[in-house]
């Protein structure tokens, strides 16, 4: 498997993991664009939002709820933050494993 995020899930690549359960894992972005920059991903490989199916809805909801909890724990919720999915080529998606960016700590 060539996917770098699957390698992080399988602990074949190191990452600064901030949350993990059976379904999702969250880790600090290697190239942060804000004081808080976390990527929240499903453990099951899904390439892009384009590939989401109806049965993935709960998992996608869980990504958002996980990001919300990390934001709360990081102290950025009061001032606000950004949640971002880049999708495909025009969306600027560089890693082909769905990831939700949590970006906070600056405007
Ligand atoms: P995209 O442009 O696909 O939405 O975002 C990919 C993100 O993954 C980028 O912000 C990039 O810095 C981050 N990234 C790429 N490779 C790695 C890695 O090996 N480890 C970590 N922690 N982040 C990565
Ligand atoms: Zn993957």
């Amino acid at each position: 498997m060539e996917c770098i995020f699957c390698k992080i899930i399988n602990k074949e690549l190191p990452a600064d993991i901030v949350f993990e359960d059976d379904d999702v894992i969250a880790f600090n972005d290697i190239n942060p664009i804000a004081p808080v920059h976390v990527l929240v991903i499903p453990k099951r490989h899904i390439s892009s939002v384009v590939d989401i199916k109806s049965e993935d809805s709960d998992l996608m909801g869980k990504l958002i709820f996980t990001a919300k909890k990390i934001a709360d724990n990081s102290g950025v919720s009061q001032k606000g933050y950004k949640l971002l999915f880049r999708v495909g080529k025009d969306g600027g998606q560089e890693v082909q494993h769905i990831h939700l960016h949590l970006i906070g700590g600056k405007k």
Side-chain angles (χ1 to χ4, degrees):
M1 172 64 90
E2 289 297 306
C3 175
I4 55 168
F5 286 178
C6 281
K7 285 185 176 163
I8 288 173
I9 292 162
N10 294 326
K11 311 281 156 60
E12 293 164 21
L13 258 184
D16 191 3
I17 295 168
V18 298
F19 177 82
E20 178 172 15
D21 70 10
D22 288 346
D23 302 315
V24 305
I25 187 167
F27 50 90
N28 288 322
D29 196 292
I30 205 168
N31 189 16
I33 62 166
V36 174
H37 189 173
V38 176
L39 303 174
V40 186
I41 71 173
K43 285 193 167 175
R44 184 157 56 80
H45 181 93
I46 302 171
S47 294
S48 166
V49 169
V50 166
D51 301 299
I52 291 174
K53 299 189 169 62
S54 168
E55 56 264 34
D56 301 324
S57 305
D58 285 353
L59 185 57
M60 292 302 111
K62 193 163 177 183
L63 287 191
I64 295 173
F65 190 65
T66 300
K68 171 252 182 326
K69 284 190 295 180
I70 295 167
D72 289 350
N73 292 336
S74 304
V76 298
S77 294
Q78 200 184 348
K79 284 197 164 178
Y81 49 86
K82 225 175 271 174
L83 294 179
L84 171 69
F85 285 109
R86 294 198 172 97
V87 185
K89 202 161 153 246
D90 281 2
Q93 183 181 355
E94 288 182 354
V95 178
Q96 304 309 313
H97 182 130
I98 285 189
H99 47 283
L100 177 58
H101 292 258
L102 162 62
I103 300 163
K106 74 167 194 189
K107 198 161 181 187

